[in-house]
């Protein structure tokens, strides 16, 4: 069980619902706003990759609830267990979606790949737009996925994963975006989705490579 000290803005985020939000969410464990007071909270969690789907979903919601005390934020980022669906009768893949189905620019998709009743790998889809709110949401989603993958990583470690995958690089050819990184026996992949030479979305993978 890892103990994480979280710096949490008391009146955290309208960015889930406000298109005007400019707050910079740098990490699950470091959410700051110079104009608001900061309190210190502690979160207890263990890596959920390699655990049952039920435990993965429960851990996800634990992290989300402890990141924020803002009801809209918690509602947006949380997973409703009853809405996690099997994609086929084989029961080897679960899917969950966030956002407005009528607006493809704000739909996020989580796929959990199941082996022997455990989550062995995760795929997360995020759209790419010029909207700063969606960009911030995407980054926080990816950091949550990394948090659930490896409880040994601290703030800098999680950021290093994203940086090592090329998330922050400026490139002229969107097909060259992303990369592959293996750390602590977990493989991370950032994959571009390109249409008409335009980056329209990204797939982020986290895979347990232990037998």
């Amino acid at each position: 069980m890892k103990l994480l000290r979280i710096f949490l803005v008391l009146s955290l985020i309208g960015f889930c619902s406000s298109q005007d939000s400019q707050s910079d969410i740098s990490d699950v464990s470091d959410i700051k706003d110079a104009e608001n007071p900061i309190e210190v909270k502690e979160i207890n969690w263990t890596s959920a990759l390699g655990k049952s789907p039920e435990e993965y979903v429960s851990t996800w919601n634990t992290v989300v609830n402890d990141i924020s005390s803002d009801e809209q934020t918690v509602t947006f980022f949380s997973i409703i267990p009853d809405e996690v669906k099997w994609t086929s009768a084989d029961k080897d893949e679960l899917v969950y979606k966030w956002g407005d189905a009528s607006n493809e620019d704000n739909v996020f998709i989580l796929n959990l790949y199941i082996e022997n009743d455990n989550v062995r790998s995760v795929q997360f889809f995020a759209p790419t737009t010029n909207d700063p709110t969606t960009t911030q949401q995407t980054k926080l989603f990816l950091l949550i996925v990394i948090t659930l993958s490896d409880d040994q990583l601290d703030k800098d470690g999680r950021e290093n994963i994203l940086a090592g995958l090329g998330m922050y690089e400026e490139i002229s050819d969107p097909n060259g975006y992303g990369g592959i990184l293996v750390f602590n026996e977990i493989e991370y992949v950032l994959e571009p989705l390109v249409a008409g030479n335009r980056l329209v979305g990204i797939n982020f993978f986290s895979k347990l490579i232990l037998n």
Side-chain angles (χ1 to χ4, degrees):
M1 181 76 64
K2 177 171 180 177
L3 189 64
L4 176 67
R5 191 164 294 275
I6 299 291
F7 296 94
L8 173 65
V9 178
L10 287 173
S11 57
L12 182 65
I13 316 179
F15 84 71
C16 294
S17 57
S18 169
Q19 297 299 310
D20 298 324
S21 174
Q22 299 295 324
S23 57
D24 178 21
I25 300 198
S26 62
D27 186 37
V28 181
S29 64
D30 191 11
I31 300 175
K32 300 180 179 180
D33 185 334
E35 297 180 358
N36 290 292
I38 295 174
E39 68 171 282
V40 175
K41 297 184 69 176
E42 293 182 344
I43 294 177
N44 293 300
W45 94 98
T46 56
S47 302
L49 201 59
K51 305 293 180 58
S52 70
E54 293 80 7
E55 190 166 353
Y56 191 96
V57 170
S58 175
T59 304
W60 180 291
N61 287 338
T62 295
V63 171
V64 170
N65 274 276
D66 285 325
I67 287 171
S68 176
S69 58
D70 178 82
E71 183 177 351
Q72 286 184 318
T73 301
V74 171
T75 299
F76 184 85
F77 285 95
S78 292
I79 295 175
I80 300 172
D82 289 344
E83 294 185 8
V84 181
K85 304 296 185 183
W86 293 107
T87 61
S88 71
D90 294 334
K91 292 191 174 182
D92 57 3
E93 181 182 350
L94 288 160
V95 64
Y96 187 81
K97 298 181 180 181
W98 292 263
D100 182 359
S102 65
N103 179 11
E104 293 183 356
D105 288 342
N106 193 242
V107 174
F108 303 89
I109 303 172
L110 177 70
N111 292 86
L112 304 178
Y113 297 98
I114 313 302
E115 295 180 19
N116 299 321
D117 297 322
N118 290 325
V119 179
R120 297 291 298 182
S121 63
V122 172
Q123 176 184 358
F124 186 84
F125 165 80
T128 55
T129 72
N130 292 323
D131 175 44
T133 296
T134 301
T135 300
Q136 292 169 353
Q137 290 170 342
T138 295
K139 183 176 181 183
L140 185 51
F141 270 125
L142 299 189
L143 287 166
I144 293 172
V145 172
I146 295 172
T147 298
L148 268 67
S149 301
D150 187 355
D151 60 17
Q152 299 304 307
L153 292 171
D154 59 9
K155 169 188 178 297
D156 291 337
R158 289 185 287 273
E159 284 287 353
N160 288 340
I161 294 295
L162 294 181
L165 292 171
M167 182 174 177
Y168 306 125
E169 294 180 5
E170 294 184 5
I171 57 173
S172 57
D173 180 4
N175 290 289
Y177 186 70
I180 301 174
L181 180 67
V182 176
F183 189 78
N184 284 349
E185 299 179 314
I186 298 169
E187 180 182 77
Y188 301 95
V189 180
L190 186 64
E191 174 185 89
L193 297 176
V194 180
N197 203 37
R198 185 172 70 89
L199 186 67
V200 296
I202 59 171
N203 278 325
F204 181 71
F205 300 87
S206 173
K207 179 180 180 181
L208 192 64
I209 59 176
L210 282 173
N211 293 326

